[in-house]
Amino acid sequence: MNLDTNMESAEFLKGRSLWGDARARFFRNKAAVASLIILILISLFAIFGSYVTPWSNEEIDWNLMGDVQTLGGPSIETGHYFGLDPLGRDLFARVVQGTQISLMIGVVGALISVIVGTLYGATAGFVGGRIDNIMMRIVDILMAIPYMFVLILLLVVFGRSIFMLFVGIGMISWLDMARIARGQTLSIKNKEFVEAAVATGVSTPAIILRHIVPNLLGVVIVYATLLVPQMIMFESFISFLGLGVQEPLTSWGALINEGAGQMRYGTLWMLGFPLFFFLISLFAFFFLGDGLRDALDPKDR
Amino acid sequence: MNVQSPLLSVRDLKVWFDIRAKGALPWTPSQKLKAVDGVDFDLMPGETLGIVGESGCGKSTLARAIMRMVPAEAGTVMWLGDSLLELNKQDMREHRKEMQMIFQDPLASLNPRMTIGQIVAEPLKTHFPDIPASEVKERVREVLQRVGILPNMINRYPHEFSGGQCQRIGIARALIVKPQLIICDEPVSALDVSIQAQVINLLMDIQEEMGLSLIFIAHDLSVVKHISTRVMVLYLGNVVEISEAEQLYRAPGHPYTEALISAVPIPDPEAEASKEVMILDADLPSPLNPPSGCVFRTRCLIAGPECAQSKPPLKDLGNQQLVACHKR
Ligand SMILES: Nc1ncnc2c1ncn2[C@@H]1O[C@H](COP(=O)(O)OP(=O)(O)O)[C@@H](O)[C@H]1O
Ligand code: SF4
Ligand SMILES: [Mg+2]
């Protein structure tokens, strides 16, 4: 009787997956959890920020427009929480918009690299031989191209557009990931569980998706987290050069550029607010990546 | 006694690897590593063939060549009338469910990201994708029960089990498609001695129940003694002796087999103390540059000049005891 009930409850024994273990380790890391919370708050800011302010990002506040330097500072009364930008638009709304675009560029860049880079690298590594050789030489060649130069040329020739930025970021972001995924795949491929799958007759795509990719996902996630800030910085640099997203769109880099140009007039808020969001997100992404690495790969400390 | 036809028949199987020195220029010719260099044997239905040899002598490579996991340089592998090495990929896949494999490192042979239920079900789902999920689950439970793992563990992950349990799970994965042959590549080398016996006994029981054939690979003779019908001794990719297990232990034919047997401990301490152990001096020669003639001659105590001249063929000493030595 007793044994029976035991068996019954044992029926639902849950296993501790490696993912579960990693989650537990992650939540013990204070800096990483704090970073995660900060990033969630920044995302909420990007999504809902425009509902908090009475001003839109396009409207010019004609009342204050002439006196941005003296009256355009951050203030609750005027409703411009972050002050005005040089053209008299609400900076809060502009920062919300810039945050949306910068985060999107970072996340899209990382996603492209995760999907394209991981599958490309895993396939090259697993199939091996001549195909591997050709695939990786292509990566080498693409890497040898001075992409910053090419991207600037593209932006100049085809005109500045957010689409071109995505093309540029898509071109480069997956290359490193493909190399990393390939390296990992080479070591996973020799594990006996992959041999077992080959011996049983599991098809190559199924082996890559079921046995290889889940086992390199840990490394991929860590690298992708670190790639987001890299992409954001990349875009900011382009925008800082004045080649990035085009008005009326904006990004952190474009706002910082604008703010920096106004510094001599003493309107420091124009630089300060976007810079604050930019820096704090970068730090948060780096700490998050660090925490994820410790959590997902406990041997590698 | 009726004469059975063999289940598996391997003839003159050769597996050579191209070895290129690190940093060598692309046009320098690569060296050939003859990991398996002309192996012949037959395996009868229901039989267990033990394969023994030092580490690096080509046991795993032989097993993997039979399963077509490494390409063979030459030779034939006949399986139930089909020449495996000539089949196309699709036809070979059909045969893969008839032959399964068990590996040396029990934990490494299970995908750490999958539950053991998923792991054991994989071969079944691969070969019979149309079986309903409920039946898959039923078959997984059945086979886990058979190897001594509680079926309510199916949602657990490999790292939650001991080495012996992992090996049982590996056996369950092999059994679920009801194969006719299981190739066990050093299945107990990584386990504690007490657990080794349990796993070997489990394999023997299952073999009897299902009428399986086994190829059981080990690096020392004592392990295969218990389980094998016949034993094949490999040295540097060559078969040096193959015979009935009992015959081989009682009266080894090849000098190398003799040396291996003298190294097997005898349970009786007195006999153990007085017995002569033949020490194999000199190191194993490199498989990249094997000795001419008889590959064993650099370590053979009775080698003569003829041994460097030509490779000794396998010859029958009577009793189906095949030995490759000029002096026998
Ligand atoms: N994929 C490979 N590439 C090159 N050499 C290999 C490869 N696999 C095995 N070898 C070599 O072939 C020989 C036999 O190896 P193996 O079959 O693993 O031996 P065993 O299983 O008897 O220990 C060894 O010298 C090993 O270095
Ligand atoms: S052929 Fe010669 S070297 Fe080889 S085992 Fe026999 S006696 Fe020894
Ligand atoms: Mg081996």
Side-chain angles (χ1 to χ4, degrees), chain A residues 100-113:
Chain A
Q100 283 169 358
I101 289 182
S102 282
L103 283 184
M104 192 163 79
I105 284 170
V107 170
V108 168
L111 271 183
I112 293 175
S113 92

Side-chain angles (χ1 to χ4, degrees), chain A residues 212-245:
Chain A
I212 306 274
V213 169
N215 282 290
L216 48 82
L217 221 48
V219 177
V220 166
I221 290 173
V222 171
Y223 185 71
T225 318
L226 297 174
L227 202 63
V228 174
Q230 255 177 294
M231 291 295 130
I232 291 175
M233 281 197 281
F234 176 73
E235 186 281 328
S236 296
F237 182 67
I238 300 265
S239 288
F240 193 79
L241 294 180
L243 285 169
V245 294

Side-chain angles (χ1 to χ4, degrees), chain B residues 28-266:
Chain B
T28 51
S30 59
Q31 276 183 292
K32 294 281 182 209
L33 188 153
K34 301 183 176 179
V36 174
D37 198 21
V39 167
D40 294 319
F41 70 90
D42 285 332
L43 182 74
M44 296 296 166
E47 182 186 39
T48 301
L49 176 70
I51 300 182
V52 177
E54 282 163 277
S55 170
C57 72
K59 306 179 298 291
S60 301
T61 305
L62 173 60
R64 293 166 62 201
I66 293 169
M67 305 278 288
R68 260 185 55 182
M69 293 158 69
V70 289
E73 186 77 21
T76 56
V77 177
M78 296 299 293
W79 168 262
L80 297 168
D82 276 327
S83 178
L84 288 190
L85 303 185
E86 290 163 19
L87 292 180
N88 64 30
K89 257 193 159 154
Q90 199 49 46
D91 292 341
M92 183 64 204
R93 255 173 70 95
E94 285 302 306
H95 283 302
R96 289 194 187 275
K97 62 176 178 288
E98 299 156 2
M99 36 172 73
Q100 290 284 307
M101 208 162 164
I102 301 172
F103 297 88
Q104 176 166 3
D105 184 335
L107 186 57
S109 69
L110 309 177
N111 183 342
R113 306 279 174 192
M114 285 163 78
T115 64
I116 65 161
Q118 295 169 328
I119 290 170
V120 173
E122 183 172 39
L124 191 62
K125 286 184 170 166
T126 302
H127 288 288
F128 306 96
D130 302 328
I131 294 188
S134 58
E135 194 187 331
V136 170
K137 207 167 171 186
E138 196 45 48
R139 294 267 298 266
V140 168
R141 281 158 184 270
E142 231 169 71
V143 75
L144 280 175
Q145 193 116 46
R146 178 61 199 90
V147 299
I149 300 284
L150 282 179
N152 58 27
M153 297 284 187
I154 50 169
N155 290 327
R156 297 241 164 165
Y157 290 84
H159 65 115
E160 299 174 274
F161 294 88
S162 69
Q165 287 174 314
C166 285
Q167 199 53 284
R168 287 166 189 270
I169 295 163
I171 294 171
R173 169 175 61 189
L175 288 178
I176 196 161
V177 281
K178 305 206 163 87
Q180 298 176 55
L181 166 66
I182 298 185
I183 299 181
C184 314
D185 189 359
E186 307 205 28
V188 297
S189 302
L191 302 177
D192 289 347
V193 178
S194 59
I195 294 165
Q196 286 187 357
Q198 292 174 11
V199 170
I200 290 181
N201 287 333
L202 174 66
L203 280 169
M204 288 172 77
D205 290 347
I206 288 169
Q207 173 181 34
E208 198 163 320
E209 262 172 53
M210 301 180 56
L212 282 172
S213 298
L214 293 181
I215 290 180
F216 191 100
I217 298 173
H219 58 247
D220 74 274
L221 271 169
S222 54
V223 174
V224 293
K225 185 174 183 180
H226 192 47
I227 194 171
S228 304
T229 334
R230 282 191 306 147
V231 174
M232 176 162 96
V233 182
L234 282 185
Y235 186 82
L236 281 185
N238 289 263
V239 179
V240 297
E241 175 159 6
I242 175 166
S243 72
E244 297 288 326
E246 203 226 335
Q247 172 77 22
L248 183 127
Y249 285 93
R250 190 163 34 79
H254 195 277
Y256 180 57
T257 320
E258 261 174 60
L260 288 180
I261 287 186
S262 76
V264 173
I266 305 172

Side-chain angles (χ1 to χ4, degrees), chain A residues 121-129 132 181-198 207-208 211-212 215-216, chain B residues 64 69 108:
Chain A
T123 305
F126 183 74
V127 176
D132 176 30
R182 174 180 174 270
Q184 288 285 313
T185 304
L186 288 182
S187 69
I188 295 170
K189 167 171 136 175
N190 289 326
K191 293 265 170 70
E192 287 170 341
F193 66 83
V194 176
E195 272 194 60
V198 174
I207 290 176
I208 291 174
H211 295 284
I212 306 274
N215 282 290
L216 48 82
Chain B
R64 293 166 62 201
M69 293 158 69

Side-chain angles (χ1 to χ4, degrees), chain A residues 63-80:
Chain A
N63 292 331
L64 299 174
M65 197 197 151
D67 308 298
V68 170
Q69 286 169 46
T70 48
L71 302 173
S75 131
I76 304 282
E77 291 142 46
T78 57
H80 300 297

